[in-house]
Amino acid sequence: MKNEESKPKRYSREQARVKAESYCAYQERSQAEIRNKLYEWGLHQKDVEEIITELIGENFLNEERFAMAYTSGKFRIKGWGKIKIKQGLKLKGVPDKMIQKALKTIDQDDYLNNLRLILEKKAQLLTEKDPFKRRYQLIRFAAGKGYEQDLISDLLIHNKLE
């Protein structure tokens, strides 16, 4: 006997549209996320594109609003840098112009302050005594969070965080 849960559930066009509306209402989504969900639910390309157009028309789906919310959330809550946010938005299928616009909403002072805070926290946790290894570990950590190499180096030099 086959496990029923292993098969993805298929929905009619109208059922999928209603589900997509609530999926969008719960949290901001990108067009690519909705498109993938609709295909997952067994819809054909024509229906998928029509539903996406309807969702945009009814303001359930707004790529710019998604990009802004994603950028703000990843920066404020996760402490991500612009490089990592940009990669995340690209993976979600957001156009480059919208990515640039969303990244510009991050206040530069807040950005540098965030970077300084994560470097200070990490520096306190490091047990390494060798200053070169400590510096490398801090750079690698901040770069992994998506911050730019030049900003990391400048902060390390000027704030003596090593």
Side-chain angles (χ1 to χ4, degrees):
M1 197 165 172
K2 283 200 171 185
N3 184 356
E4 290 299 312
E5 292 179 43
S6 65
K7 267 198 302 185
K9 191 152 170 50
R10 295 183 116 31
Y11 296 98
S12 71
R13 184 193 185 288
E14 200 44 49
Q15 288 173 319
R17 186 179 178 285
V18 170
K19 271 188 79 71
E21 284 178 2
S22 66
Y23 186 63
C24 290
Y26 175 73
Q27 174 183 317
E28 291 295 340
R29 309 284 181 181
S30 71
Q31 285 184 30
E33 286 175 302
I34 296 300
R35 189 171 280 112
N36 291 340
K37 242 341 154 188
L38 291 170
Y39 281 127
E40 220 176 87
W41 294 336
L43 272 76
H44 297 288
Q45 184 180 2
K46 181 177 178 267
D47 290 333
V48 167
E49 295 309 320
E50 285 175 3
I51 290 172
I52 287 175
T53 303
E54 290 168 17
L55 291 172
I56 291 169
E58 294 167 12
N59 211 18
F60 278 103
L61 194 56
N62 182 318
E63 200 87 326
E64 185 174 336
R65 193 174 62 212
F66 167 76
M68 298 296 183
Y70 184 93
T71 300
S72 174
K74 296 302 181 192
F75 174 65
R76 300 241 178 264
I77 297 163
K78 298 254 187 184
W80 286 8
K82 291 180 181 179
I83 295 170
K84 194 166 183 173
I85 293 170
K86 182 178 180 176
Q87 288 172 333
L89 286 169
K90 276 186 178 286
L91 286 173
K92 300 280 187 185
V94 177
D96 285 336
K97 273 192 171 178
M98 246 175 249
I99 292 173
Q100 294 310 318
K101 188 174 182 180
L103 290 175
K104 284 180 184 166
T105 64
I106 298 174
D107 180 73
Q108 192 62 16
D109 291 337
D110 289 346
Y111 190 69
L112 292 171
N113 194 40
N114 238 21
L115 175 56
R116 187 182 50 74
L117 288 172
I118 68 164
L119 286 171
E120 284 173 356
K121 274 187 192 173
K122 185 66 174 178
Q124 290 173 359
L125 297 173
L126 294 178
T127 55
E128 180 60 56
K129 299 291 179 226
D130 182 331
F132 292 106
K133 287 181 181 175
R134 280 182 69 81
R135 180 181 170 80
Y136 174 72
Q137 288 174 339
L138 288 169
I139 290 171
R140 198 177 72 208
F141 177 74
K145 284 271 204 182
Y147 287 90
E148 297 84 344
Q149 188 78 39
D150 57 334
L151 293 179
I152 299 166
S153 295
D154 287 350
L155 263 176
L156 289 175
I157 292 166
H158 294 104
N159 290 332
K160 305 282 187 256
L161 296 172
E162 306 166 78

